[in-house]
Amino acid sequence: MTVHSTTLRRLAIKLAAAGMTLVLATSAHAAEWRAWNIHVKGYPNTIAMDKFAELVAAKTGGKITVKNFHGGVLGNQPDAIEQVRIGALEVGNFNLGPIGPIVPEANVVSLPFIFKDMGHMHRALDGEAGAKISAGMAKKGLISLAWYDSGARSFYNSKKPIMKPADVIGMKVRVMNNDLYSGMIAALGGNPSPMAFSEVYQSLKTGVVDGAENNWPSYESTGHFEVAGYYSLSQHLIIPECVCINAKVYNGLSDADKKAVTEAARESAVLQRELWAKRAKSSREKVMKAGVKFNEIPDKSAFQNAMKPVYDKYLAANADIVPLVKLIQNTK
């Protein structure tokens, strides 16, 4: 073997070794994340989560991919939140309501009437208040990458219009599993009935509950308007949703990948908010055409005043959260 051929052979071995190292490094860092979403095909959140997956792959050069599981096929929301916290799932699109019992800071958004309107919620969550809520979530294993809209929740039922607190007396109302929501209904004289979202239609249809509370798109997309034909615009809760990632997974990323994943989530949130506004409008129009009996509540002060015991009890048990509540209320 000549010196020239020996040199070439050694060079080939080095290149092959370098190539193998590159392949191993790439496979070691490549990851497919599983993401949970309760919403159905065509829903603003579902479209936005698919956009998030697309952007993550593009921004990380395919190093990270996201496989979305829509329609709650991987379990109910409380279970999915726990799965993301422990790392059995990497990502989830969650409502902050069920996160509240785990994260005191997140629970403030579940205080009835804490937000004046959708714009107020956006300003608070996109600012200092949102950062404090995110910090509280991180302590419990969840990193919030971006905030999605989930509209303003109002009451609907199969019995009658709700114009004043007294109209709720004796009414069985489904709520998400959170003591604040149960406290809200109880403070109005109703009977709170926590249950999974998937059970609400049949429960309304059979009279297990008289009513529930949710936004226009959820009221329409689930068919709840077919079995609960009275919708009263209380807008008592404006609860955002998050694109959340397991804290260990996120903290294990390079700075570049953290930036890419966060940017992907926030860009998907811009899309989600645009789609949400359009969907809320079209859902409202659809149920109104279907004959839903709709009513405004001109003066909500009686409802707001009825919430004093809810606030007093919550803040007495969570004194360290008082500054965050005031921060949100004072956000211009």
Side-chain angles (χ1 to χ4, degrees), residues 4 38 62 77 103 141 154 167 202 248 266 270 275 295:
H4 179 66
I38 199 171
Q77 188 157 211
V103 181
S154 292
D167 294 328
Q202 191 64 19
K248 288 183 179 178
R266 290 180 179 174
V270 173
L275 293 173
N295 69 277

Side-chain angles (χ1 to χ4, degrees), residues 122-263:
H122 287 152
R123 292 189 296 276
L125 270 291
D126 290 339
E128 187 181 350
K132 289 184 180 297
I133 292 171
S134 293
M137 291 169 63
K139 294 174 187 174
K140 300 296 183 177
L142 295 170
I143 299 289
S144 175
L145 299 173
W147 306 110
Y148 279 9
D149 279 355
S150 69
R153 300 172 75 98
S154 292
F155 294 121
Y156 53 87
N157 74 95
S158 60
K159 302 293 185 184
K160 60 184 177 181
I162 293 173
M163 295 291 293
K164 56 188 183 301
D167 294 328
V168 183
I169 293 174
M171 194 175 283
K172 294 173 290 184
V173 183
R174 179 266 173 177
V175 292
M176 290 187 289
N177 188 23
N178 186 314
D179 289 344
L180 282 175
Y181 307 149
S182 295
M184 172 184 69
I185 300 301
L188 295 172
N191 300 313
S193 300
M195 69 174 62
F197 189 57
S198 59
E199 299 172 12
V200 180
Y201 181 92
Q202 191 64 19
S203 296
L204 286 166
K205 186 176 181 179
T206 58
V208 171
V209 295
D210 302 311
E213 46 83 50
N214 220 314
N215 53 58
W216 288 112
S218 291
Y219 179 56
E220 175 263 316
S221 66
T222 55
H224 289 182
F225 69 95
E226 300 167 354
V227 287
Y230 294 91
Y231 194 96
S232 304
L233 200 69
S234 53
Q235 296 184 313
H236 50 272
L237 292 170
I238 301 177
I239 309 173
E241 300 198 356
C242 67
V243 179
C244 289
I245 183 173
N246 171 269
K248 288 183 179 178
V249 169
Y250 181 79
N251 291 329
L253 298 175
S254 67
D255 288 344
D257 286 343
K258 285 178 181 176
K259 182 173 183 288
V261 170
T262 302
E263 284 180 352

Side-chain angles (χ1 to χ4, degrees), residues 22-186:
L22 179 60
V23 169
L24 290 172
T26 302
S27 10
H29 289 89
E32 181 182 81
W33 294 346
R34 296 193 304 162
W36 181 94
N37 167 37
I38 199 171
H39 301 291
V40 297
K41 183 179 179 180
Y43 202 80
N45 299 46
T46 303
I47 296 170
M49 285 298 288
D50 284 341
K51 186 65 175 178
F52 168 67
E54 176 191 322
L55 289 169
V56 167
K59 290 176 180 289
T60 64
K63 192 161 48 173
I64 301 171
T65 57
V66 178
K67 184 174 183 180
N68 285 312
F69 291 84
H70 303 304
V73 296
L74 295 183
N76 63 36
Q77 188 157 211
D79 287 346
I81 290 169
E82 187 59 25
Q83 292 297 300
V84 173
R85 288 183 65 206
I86 65 176
L89 293 172
E90 287 79 19
V91 178
N93 165 213
F94 301 130
N95 188 284
L96 289 196
I99 292 176
I102 305 164
V103 181
E105 293 87 351
N107 224 19
V108 298
V109 304
S110 292
L111 286 166
F113 301 103
I114 192 167
F115 295 116
K116 302 176 182 71
D117 51 38
M118 292 292 294
H120 180 219
M121 183 273 288
H122 287 152
R123 292 189 296 276
L125 270 291
D126 290 339
E128 187 181 350
K132 289 184 180 297
I133 292 171
S134 293
M137 291 169 63
K139 294 174 187 174
K140 300 296 183 177
L142 295 170
I143 299 289
S144 175
L145 299 173
W147 306 110
Y148 279 9
D149 279 355
S150 69
R153 300 172 75 98
S154 292
F155 294 121
Y156 53 87
N157 74 95
S158 60
K159 302 293 185 184
K160 60 184 177 181
I162 293 173
M163 295 291 293
K164 56 188 183 301
D167 294 328
V168 183
I169 293 174
M171 194 175 283
K172 294 173 290 184
V173 183
R174 179 266 173 177
V175 292
M176 290 187 289
N177 188 23
N178 186 314
D179 289 344
L180 282 175
Y181 307 149
S182 295
M184 172 184 69
I185 300 301

Side-chain angles (χ1 to χ4, degrees), residues 249-293:
V249 169
Y250 181 79
N251 291 329
L253 298 175
S254 67
D255 288 344
D257 286 343
K258 285 178 181 176
K259 182 173 183 288
V261 170
T262 302
E263 284 180 352
R266 290 180 179 174
E267 287 177 32
S268 78
V270 173
L271 173 64
Q272 193 271 347
R273 291 179 185 185
E274 290 174 355
L275 293 173
W276 182 270
K278 293 176 183 176
R279 179 60 184 267
K281 184 175 183 291
S282 65
S283 291
R284 175 171 174 162
E285 290 171 352
K286 180 177 178 178
V287 300
M288 295 290 273
K289 285 179 182 177
V292 163
K293 297 176 178 64

Side-chain angles (χ1 to χ4, degrees), residues 11-25:
L11 178 60
I13 291 171
K14 286 181 180 178
L15 288 172
M20 182 60 69
T21 301
L22 179 60
V23 169
L24 290 172

